[in-house]
Amino acid sequence: MARRHNYESFLDKLSIREDYQCEIDACGKVTRVVGLTLEAVGVKVVIGQHCTVILNDSREVDTEVVGFADNRVFLMPTAAIQGLHAGALVRPAKCHNYLLVSDNLLGRVINGIGLPLDNKGSISGEKKVLLEQPPINPLERAPISEVLDVGVRSINGLLTVGKGQRMGLFAGSGVGKSVLLGMMTRFTKADVVIVGLVGERGREVREFIEQNLEEEGLQRAVVVASPADDAPLMRLRAAYLTTSLAEYYRDQGKDVLLLMDSLTRFGQAQREIALAIGEPPATKGYPPSVFSKIPQLVERVGNGRDGGGSITAFYTVLTEGDDLQDPIADSARAILDGHIVLSRTIAEEGRYPSVDIEASISRAMPNIVDAEHLNSAQSFKQLYSRYQQSRDLISIGAYSRGSDPDIDLAIERIPDLYAYLQQGLDDSYGLDVSRSHLVNIVSSEPNKVESAG
């Protein structure tokens, strides 16, 4: 029974607990390692159940049951398995795991299983929260009816976001998505901010906290970090943990801002797991389970029941090669409540944030802003689009003034349009100011709108 005592001690070290309930004769053994998965026999478990594998040096590695075939069980580890030997003991635990949470989590940085990464000591918890929970009945959700001020003028004015809305931030590499996330983290009027850094570069974790989130923003935030070198199961758990924390604070009646960077890495982690257990690839190498996991994660987010809190979410979606038809991007665009596209061309021109207004949309905006605001936003987009369509002719001098009144007006207003879309890293524009500037652009004399600098 010494092994049983060691396993319970191992569980006590985790913030995420798994209720232990097995005897020594219920254990199995590892028979084979295939790619990322372990094959075990002699253990009776179900899909999603958690097991511990005892390595040769007496270390324990947490695993999850991800599949089975005949009498073989496929396990996916959450950590490196150096020291694993044939016949290693596999010990099952109860099916569900949970996180012990409390307000002590605010200001902390944790990994995908709830362990602190910030060297600030252990985290005490009071309430059990399951990592995977069913979404709220859609008929019980409060509708999106209130505007959320994110402090970014182009989004407040032209892509207005409502409390409880789920937006995608579509961007390739190096066009400023992390900086934009940091700005929204600092400027958004929310009670709690939950940040999930899933599958990104490890060096970006500290950079995001110190340069984008900053100490003031961290005090009302919880950061869940699982960098790219983590096991795919750990990355999946980080995404689920991020969502569960947001649900916990929403159920307290708070307005929560959830930022996940990135939804693409979540899908790629599921792809690694699915391919490892033999699921056939379907769309550009992605197995079907990827496209079922994304809605299951996203649908948990949104408004709570009437009178409760809200979760407003921004999910970054990586467009490899700036291809907006990437399978993950296409799936996310269909399930989310709008998308903000960051353009490499705009970023190369030095205009930040590099929001492509023509390609972006907020599906909730028509229902949450007044008629004047909505009409001004539509007029802005029409002017901007008209100029972009004629830009080449204008640049080479092939367009003659007076040929088209709409183009003439767009040429007059384009300095104001560009100024409105630009914003400094430390500049914050509230909702009322953003709306006022927008109305001035489309209704007053050109070059009278305050520049973002």
Side-chain angles (χ1 to χ4, degrees), residues 42 78 117 146 153 185 189 200 261 270 333 336 353 389 418 430-431 433-434 437:
T78 62
L117 297 175
E146 189 176 350
R153 184 163 57 179
T185 302
K189 294 181 178 178
E200 295 301 312
D261 187 13
Q270 175 60 27
R333 189 164 49 244
L336 295 172
Q389 292 169 6
Y418 281 167
L431 183 67
V433 173
S434 300
H437 288 181

Side-chain angles (χ1 to χ4, degrees), residues 176-191:
K177 70 178 187 306
S178 296
V179 175
L180 180 57
L181 284 179
M183 292 172 64
M184 288 190 292
T185 302
R186 297 195 304 274
F187 302 150
T188 298
K189 294 181 178 178
D191 300 319

Side-chain angles (χ1 to χ4, degrees), residues 194-307:
I194 307 295
V195 181
L197 303 177
V198 180
E200 295 301 312
R201 291 180 289 271
R203 69 169 181 80
E204 291 185 337
V205 176
R206 183 170 179 177
E207 289 180 1
F208 183 86
I209 294 170
E210 295 182 355
Q211 300 177 12
N212 298 327
L213 193 59
E214 299 180 350
E215 187 64 30
E216 181 180 352
L218 183 61
Q219 296 308 309
R220 62 181 181 127
V222 182
V223 179
V224 182
S226 181
D229 58 338
D230 275 355
L233 182 60
M234 182 69 87
R235 282 175 265 148
L236 280 187
R237 287 192 180 184
Y240 288 129
L241 176 55
T242 301
T243 306
S244 293
L245 290 174
E247 290 172 321
Y248 166 73
Y249 288 106
R250 177 190 64 190
D251 293 343
Q252 293 182 355
K254 296 180 179 180
D255 292 324
V256 180
L257 175 66
L258 186 154
L259 306 173
M260 186 175 294
D261 187 13
S262 70
L263 192 63
T264 302
R265 302 304 187 200
F266 170 80
Q268 290 175 346
Q270 175 60 27
R271 177 176 65 177
E272 292 179 47
I273 294 173
L275 293 177
I277 61 176
E279 186 179 348
T283 307
K284 293 188 178 180
Y286 285 95
S289 63
V290 173
F291 304 105
S292 65
K293 288 285 187 181
I294 291 176
Q296 289 172 10
L297 180 73
V298 171
E299 282 298 321
R300 293 168 57 184
V301 175
N303 280 332
R305 294 173 175 82
D306 289 329

Side-chain angles (χ1 to χ4, degrees), residues 1-13 20 52 54 58 60 91:
M1 299 302 292
R3 288 181 181 271
R4 176 169 180 167
H5 174 73
N6 290 340
Y7 181 60
E8 290 176 334
S9 298
F10 164 71
L11 291 178
D12 287 337
K13 298 175 184 177
Y20 175 87
T52 292
I54 311 299
S58 298
E60 295 106 338
R91 179 168 288 156

Side-chain angles (χ1 to χ4, degrees), residues 107-121:
R108 301 301 300 271
V109 183
I110 59 178
N111 66 7
I113 57 174
L115 294 176
L117 297 175
D118 51 13
N119 298 319
K120 295 181 179 179

Side-chain angles (χ1 to χ4, degrees), residues 24-31 39-45 71-73 90 92:
I24 194 69
D25 57 4
C27 299
K29 63 180 180 179
V30 175
T31 59
E39 291 187 9
V41 297
V43 58
K44 295 182 178 181
V45 287
N71 64 336
R72 294 172 296 142
V73 174
V90 178

